Amino acid sequence: MSDRPFAAAVVPTVVDRPVAVLRSDAEAIEAAGSLAVRFAAGAGGRDAERRLPTVEVEELSASGLLGSTVPARFGGADVSVATLTEVFRLLATADASLAQIPHSHFVFLDALRRQGDADQQGFYFAQALAGRRFANAQSERGGRTIADDATTLRRRPDGGYLLTGEKFYCTGALFAHWLVVRAVLADTPARPDGSPVKALAYIARDTPGVRVADDWDGMGQRTTASGTVRLDEVAVEANQVVPFSPIFDGPTTYGARAQVLHAALDTGIARGALDDAAAQVAKARPWFESGAARAADDPLLVQQAGELEIEVRAAEALLREAAAAVDAAELDPTDDATARASVATAVAKVAGARAAVRAASELFELGGTRSAAGTLNLARHWRDGRTHTLHDPSRWKVQHIGRWLLSGTPPPRHGQL
């Protein structure tokens, strides 16, 4: 390994403060809880003004959470999926946009753990421990489906690659030190099923030929920094390329691990909305027909609040069950164990999505007209929930769950399940 094996990458500094190195699952939970309290304070204002959370993202880096999944042999805490899931749920309860930003960071550290060689792992894991941020450049608008990629890695005569294409919905790209680009290996024969061979290119955001646009204008998750990434014959060294297609050749928890974090985001949104609903009920006037002295004593309102609490708690319990199933499958990744982890994750994702949209909508029924005031910006919960739950359709997860139940059909192996 040379002194500068990744010399093509010039990485900016992270923060002007020390970056913590977490040593345990308990420290990760404690760090997330502390950040959540601080992040919640300005979440409404950041969303209303579409103000990117620059300071908060630097705090996230400094907390050490971004290195929490690094394997112990590389100096990380190697926290469990259950712990990481709870970290995301806590952060999403406070600010769903901020919580979304590091999602791909952890997904692509996982890809590196599965497919990177020892030198790649040593380099990039050290970057994560130093608080540096990884973001995705995966989805494209031009393909027939989200699984189709036109972005290519083409061989250079010297053995490296040229990366060309355009990616959208690149969450966290504006804050990234490293962009992870999914691309087709253009000079490689197709796989036996006719599909192209794909790889992940781990490139510095400031590499010549890389442009990141601040053009995300979604109604929800307004401050996720999900810009467009344009790649114009970007020089990529061979040791910056990690195989992607082989991840799915055998039993794997790769998709379930990524999806359970999405479920955690939805479940966090649901809890955040319900917490705000309870706070609004404390300020609301009772409906005159109820005869109650306080809105919180209105029996119909109490009933509705109880039903919501049951749904949100159910989503939280299913989330914990799914995370435990993924952890178990990672210890023994058989066909059956990984299928069960995917099904449990699909159940949690559907439950979390339903709870997020329902709680964020019924918040206003509980809080009354006053809760609709623009200055409160409580609509962000619904906008965040409705936007994030579009990430991948629940209807297909329900199909896979039903097939598993009725005929024992295992869910397919892909990054969305």
Side-chain angles (χ1 to χ4, degrees):
M1 187 172 182
S2 67
D3 291 338
R4 297 191 69 207
F6 299 87
V10 179
V11 185
T13 57
V14 183
V15 286
D16 57 359
R17 69 186 90 175
V19 175
V21 177
L22 302 178
R23 298 299 181 189
S24 67
D25 290 62
E27 287 185 7
I29 298 293
E30 182 180 0
S34 178
L35 286 177
V37 171
R38 297 201 296 278
F39 291 171
R46 287 190 296 272
D47 174 88
E49 299 169 15
R50 204 180 283 271
R51 186 175 72 249
L52 294 177
T54 304
V55 173
E56 291 77 13
V57 168
E58 295 291 358
E59 288 186 36
L60 179 62
S61 281
S63 74
L65 280 171
L66 297 182
S68 62
T69 61
V70 170
R73 69 182 183 278
F74 291 99
D78 200 7
V79 302
S80 66
V81 174
T83 292
L84 187 62
T85 299
E86 178 64 4
V87 165
F88 270 79
R89 191 195 68 82
L90 287 169
L91 295 177
T93 299
D95 185 335
S97 287
L98 244 170
Q100 174 76 24
I101 289 172
H103 179 274
S104 294
H105 172 95
F106 290 103
V107 171
F108 291 122
L109 289 184
D110 184 44
L112 190 70
R113 179 171 64 90
R114 296 171 189 272
Q115 292 294 319
D117 63 32
D119 288 346
Q120 291 170 324
Q121 290 176 345
F123 180 82
Y124 289 116
F125 286 150
Q127 291 290 296
L129 288 171
R132 303 195 195 280
R133 299 177 290 270
F134 294 71
N136 88 87
Q138 294 190 96
S139 296
E140 300 182 9
R141 286 180 175 169
R144 185 180 65 85
T145 73
I146 62 168
D148 296 326
D149 290 304
T151 298
T152 57
L153 279 163
R154 295 186 180 278
R155 282 282 186 183
R156 303 194 317 252
D158 62 3
Y161 296 88
L162 288 177
L163 177 63
T164 303
E166 187 169 274
K167 299 288 188 175
F168 298 88
Y169 313 121
C170 301
T171 302
L174 291 166
F175 290 121
H177 298 88
W178 297 96
L179 295 173
V180 185
V181 184
R182 188 180 67 200
V184 172
L185 291 172
D187 305 310
T188 302
R191 291 167 62 81
D193 63 0
S195 63
V197 177
K198 297 182 182 181
L200 301 172
Y202 288 66
I203 61 174
R205 185 196 148 180
D206 60 355
T207 303
V210 176
R211 290 177 294 157
V212 181
D214 183 10
D215 58 0
W216 168 243
D217 63 353
M219 68 174 182
Q221 294 197 293
R222 292 178 170 182
T223 60
T224 55
S226 301
T228 297
V229 172
R230 296 182 175 88
L231 307 152
D232 184 11
E233 295 196 327
V234 178
V236 179
E237 302 309 314
N239 56 10
Q240 293 177 280
V241 176
V242 173
F244 179 72
S245 296
I247 289 176
F248 307 103
D249 285 346
T252 183
T253 57
Y254 180 80
R257 189 179 179 114
Q259 284 293 302
V260 78
L261 300 184
H262 281 304
L265 290 166
D266 291 337
T267 305
I269 291 170
R271 176 54 67 188
L274 194 53
D275 285 349
D276 273 349
Q280 289 305 303
V281 169
K283 304 173 186 176
R285 294 184 295 182
W287 183 243
F288 70 95
E289 291 178 286
S290 71
R294 305 179 308 152
D297 296 325
D298 178 337
L300 298 183
L301 191 150
V302 169
Q303 176 72 19
Q304 187 171 13
E307 295 288 350
L308 286 173
E309 176 69 7
I310 291 167
E311 184 159 352
V312 174
R313 283 201 191 194
E316 291 169 341
L318 289 167
L319 180 67
R320 290 190 295 269
E321 180 180 288
V326 178
D327 275 326
E330 292 199 342
L331 291 174
D332 185 22
T334 63
D335 282 318
D336 182 68
T338 55
R340 289 181 182 279
S342 287
V343 170
T345 299
V347 171
K349 182 66 171 64
V350 173
R354 290 173 177 175
V357 174
R358 181 182 175 188
S361 177
E362 295 189 24
L363 180 165
F364 300 99
E365 295 178 28
L366 296 178
T369 306
R370 295 180 185 185
S371 63
T375 53
L376 296 175
N377 194 24
L378 296 177
R380 71 182 174 88
H381 294 297
W382 185 88
R383 288 186 285 99
D384 286 343
R386 185 65 282 178
T387 300
H388 184 259
T389 55
L390 299 176
H391 183 275
D392 46 284
S394 291
R395 60 185 178 271
W396 272 98
K397 298 191 186 306
V398 174
Q399 287 285 308
H400 295 311
I401 295 164
R403 291 188 184 112
W404 172 261
L405 173 66
L406 298 179
S407 60
T409 303
R413 295 174 187 154
H414 56 62
Q416 305 296 322
L417 197 63

